[in-house]
Amino acid sequence: GGDTAPRGLPPVTLEETSEHLLQRDYLGRTVKLCKATATIPLPLDFPVKTMEDWWRLKPMFEFHPDRIDVAQMARARQAEAWVLAGMPGAFDMARELMGEELACLAYYDQPELMADIVQTLSDTTFAVLERVSREVRIDQLSVHEDFAGKSGPLVGPDIVRAYFRPYYRRIWEMLAERGTRVFQLDSDGNLQPVLDALLDGGLTSIFPMEPAVGMDIVAVRRQYGSRL
């Protein structure tokens, strides 16, 4: 019943061959899909390097009343189904805008930029889900970050507590008061170094729990019990 994602540009196909598809995507990035080997296109450029760049794109991330889909809310009220709401990732959206390297550095080089991005996500997500949850009980809140690999996460616990936690807790605490039961993070990789910080943000579930990178689900249960 509500749209928390950026209100992006319509995609434009720039070139298509039997081997690849070149497009301009919803953020204005040039992205390339290699048809034989990939299902997710690779961005070749990123639109945000500075605060000025972000301010040009910021309006597509802000709240507008037409983000609320009344008909979809009515269908959700009638269906006996598990209702899931998604929120944009604190790191994931910065990575989409800036690329992984610049996003990681910007926490140190441009903290005011990173703070404004996550505050905008927080304000829009809160405005959308506060209205939706008046009409429909949301069973699960989910956030996609996907910010870790075999060697560990791309950001450390201090960054998680400073940037992720206020955003996560603002949305989760509002929904939990209205009956939401699960707050799930979607991330591959070894999250062990930031688990404590993530749980401080209110998470109750992490998916997947990837053994190939060192995540031991038995050890995690022993450490956190039914908290996670």
Side-chain angles (χ1 to χ4, degrees):
D3 179 14
T4 61
R7 300 160 60 85
L9 305 168
V12 176
T13 297
L14 303 174
E15 179 181 297
E16 183 168 10
T17 71
S18 58
E19 289 82 28
H20 69 261
L21 177 63
L22 200 66
Q23 290 187 310
R24 186 171 296 115
D25 77 353
Y26 75 112
L27 291 175
R29 304 177 301 187
T30 304
V31 297
K32 183 176 183 179
L33 177 69
C34 295
K35 295 180 177 180
T37 57
T39 57
I40 299 173
L42 177 70
L44 303 181
D45 52 44
F46 294 94
V48 174
K49 295 180 176 63
T50 65
M51 181 68 88
E52 289 73 24
D53 295 334
W54 161 242
W55 276 91
R56 283 193 288 272
L57 288 182
K58 185 174 177 176
M60 73 170 63
F61 290 79
E62 294 177 328
F63 178 76
H64 298 277
D66 60 359
R67 285 180 176 273
I68 307 299
D69 186 334
V70 175
Q72 189 180 13
M73 286 197 293
R75 291 192 296 272
R77 278 197 299 266
Q78 295 166 4
E80 294 183 7
W82 186 262
V83 177
L84 185 150
M87 57 187 277
F91 178 79
D92 184 54
M93 188 50 66
R95 175 203 7 237
E96 292 288 288
L97 290 165
M98 306 168 78
E100 287 180 350
E101 182 177 355
L102 187 57
C104 287
L105 292 170
Y107 288 113
Y108 305 96
D109 298 338
Q110 301 185 77
E112 69 289 342
L113 168 60
M114 302 305 277
D116 198 71
I117 290 172
V118 78
Q119 187 63 51
T120 303
L121 299 178
S122 177
D123 290 345
T124 298
T125 300
F126 188 93
V128 170
L129 296 184
E130 194 280 326
R131 286 161 175 77
V132 171
S133 61
R134 291 179 202 169
E135 309 296 330
V136 178
R137 190 189 71 189
I138 294 168
D139 297 298
Q140 178 175 329
L141 175 66
S142 290
V143 59
H144 178 267
E145 296 289 4
D146 208 8
F147 71 124
K150 189 171 184 178
S151 61
L154 289 170
V155 299
D158 290 349
I159 296 296
V160 171
R161 288 192 171 97
Y163 291 88
F164 294 33
R165 183 184 185 278
Y167 172 36
Y168 284 11
R169 292 211 68 91
R170 182 185 185 194
I171 308 304
W172 169 243
E173 288 171 2
M174 181 266 293
L175 291 180
E177 287 181 358
R178 300 180 180 190
T180 305
R181 290 175 280 171
V182 175
F183 182 13
Q184 184 172 90
L185 171 80
D186 179 348
S187 183
D188 299 333
N190 188 337
L191 295 170
Q192 197 67 45
V194 293
L195 274 183
D196 284 342
L198 288 169
L199 266 65
D200 286 348
L203 292 174
T204 67
S205 175
I206 291 177
F207 175 84
M209 191 70 67
E210 194 176 6
V213 301
M215 293 300 291
D216 183 335
I217 197 168
V218 175
V220 169
R221 171 50 58 94
R222 191 179 300 123
Q223 182 176 1
Y224 294 104
S226 59
R227 184 183 176 195
L228 182 61

